Amino acid sequence: MKKRSLLIIASALLAGTAMPTMAQSNWPAKPIRIVVPYPPGGPVDQIARAIQQRLGEVLGQSILVDNRSGASGIIGMDAAIKADPDGYTFGFGVPGGITVLPHLQKMPYDVNEINYVSLVARVPQVITVGPQVPVNTLKELIALGKKDAGKLNYGSAGNATTPHLGAALFAQEAGINMVHIAYKGAAPAVTGLLGGEVQVLAADLPAVRAFTARGVKILAVSSARRSELLPDVPSTGELGLPEVVAESNYGIIAPKGLPAPIFEKMRQALVTTLATPDVKSRLAGLGAVAISTTPDEYRKLMQSESARWGALVKKAGIKLD
């Protein structure tokens, strides 16, 4: 009788360990949620939705975009990082919540514990001027900034956003003094540029690309080399400002403790998805370059960016409002 009881207990224990293994091998068995920490319709949401359908086809399940905006992306990032690691909730990693805001405030999550899966898109940042500004090159803008020191206003999508830091970095390296005006989002910042409230705007390409027809002038891409999306626009690197490198890198992150087999299946699905011509074309149309990486490459890039922006935040005395 005792021997039989022990056999029953052993069988139950084996069954208990087999169930999670079976769940991992059958993954995904239901729709997968990707938490996007910004509102529907914005540039980040559009990038996430550009990969949504194809990723679902590769995995054989629907991909649901769950928009959880607020606190500059922190709310959505927190929800994704702390989700149940069952393989049915992932997050859309945004640079501000990883590389900038941790230098300015206490975060609800530990950035060192973020589970990086892969980058999905790289968005170049550009330096632009409004239609009323009498310059056509970055060299002319720098000359104007030195001539009219403190008289040029530059806008951004918000205080301590990557476009704000990119513009601050440009001003610092170019040796010009400009006044920062923070807007609540990229759209009102572009409106301010068109209306002449600000003369200069550093922004992610998707935010300004459509407004070149209305007089917005893209003077340079903030990178070491020209962007394949704007082959006729010079880079800051070739214009003598090699330190002015600013871009937004977006990727997929997962909750801590996600089983390795599920993690690897998702990573491989992203690699396949991002190599698809229609996904590449869709992202290019949004002003983004499709890119996949290893988890280690993604993590090291974010660590490097965090160190770089953290140094600028300190040197420039940038603070949250």
Side-chain angles (χ1 to χ4, degrees):
M1 192 72 181
K2 185 176 181 182
K3 186 175 180 181
R4 186 179 176 187
S5 298
L6 288 171
L7 285 170
I8 291 171
I9 292 169
S11 298
L13 289 171
L14 285 171
T17 56
M19 285 177 66
T21 303
M22 188 178 297
Q24 291 173 31
S25 63
N26 291 336
W27 182 88
K30 62 181 181 180
I32 298 164
R33 193 167 56 109
I34 294 181
V35 179
V36 174
Y38 286 106
V44 178
D45 177 67
Q46 290 179 48
I47 291 171
R49 293 179 190 275
I51 69 169
Q52 178 184 15
Q53 182 178 341
R54 182 60 180 148
L55 180 60
E57 291 169 356
V58 172
L59 289 169
Q61 274 292 347
S62 298
I63 303 295
L64 308 176
V65 172
D66 181 4
N67 297 95
R68 295 205 190 181
S69 58
S72 299
I74 293 176
I75 291 174
M77 290 274 291
D78 187 50
I81 290 168
K82 295 177 180 176
D84 186 353
D86 60 1
Y88 293 99
T89 301
F90 290 83
F92 207 69
V94 295
I98 302 173
T99 66
V100 180
L101 292 172
H103 298 287
L104 293 161
Q105 66 178 69
K106 183 176 174 58
M107 304 295 284
Y109 49 83
D110 184 350
V111 292
N112 295 313
E113 294 186 355
I114 294 176
N115 200 2
Y116 298 102
V117 182
S118 172
L119 280 181
V120 297
R122 177 166 290 157
V123 178
Q125 194 176 113
V126 292
I127 299 170
T128 69
V129 293
Q132 308 91 339
V133 183
V135 302
N136 293 297
T137 67
L138 194 67
K139 184 178 179 180
E140 291 175 351
L141 174 61
I142 293 171
L144 180 64
K146 289 181 177 178
K147 177 187 173 185
D148 296 334
K151 293 182 180 178
L152 289 181
N153 294 335
Y154 74 95
S156 76
N159 198 32
T161 59
T162 47
H164 173 202
L165 296 188
L169 179 61
F170 161 64
Q172 175 182 288
E173 293 298 314
I176 58 177
N177 180 24
M178 299 189 294
V179 179
H180 177 227
I181 296 180
Y183 292 88
K184 292 183 178 179
V190 174
T191 300
L193 184 71
L194 289 168
E197 186 175 33
V198 294
Q199 292 74 47
V200 183
L201 177 67
D204 286 350
L205 177 58
V208 296
R209 198 175 199 179
F211 295 93
T212 55
R214 293 179 57 183
V216 171
K217 291 174 274 190
I218 299 177
L219 303 184
V221 178
S222 298
S223 62
R225 295 174 296 278
R226 296 193 182 204
S227 168
E228 61 194 79
L229 302 175
L230 294 169
D232 297 327
V233 177
S235 70
T236 48
E238 70 183 271
L239 293 174
L241 296 170
E243 298 301 318
V244 182
V245 176
E247 57 193 12
S248 293
N249 295 286
Y250 300 103
I252 297 297
I253 60 174
K256 186 180 179 182
L258 181 70
I262 294 177
F263 182 98
E264 186 56 24
K265 281 184 183 179
M266 172 57 94
R267 193 186 74 80
Q268 289 294 342
L270 287 166
V271 170
T272 301
T273 297
L274 293 162
T276 308
D278 67 311
V279 171
K280 286 184 174 182
S281 176
R282 215 171 297 155
L283 286 171
L286 294 172
V289 178
I291 179 172
S292 61
T293 61
T294 66
D296 194 48
E297 287 170 338
Y298 186 8
R299 186 185 73 255
K300 285 182 177 177
L301 175 64
M302 293 297 99
Q303 289 173 340
S304 173
E305 288 288 277
S306 178
R308 197 163 66 90
W309 291 133
L312 179 66
V313 163
K314 186 176 181 179
K315 185 174 182 179
I318 294 171
K319 299 183 184 299
L320 290 176
D321 292 332

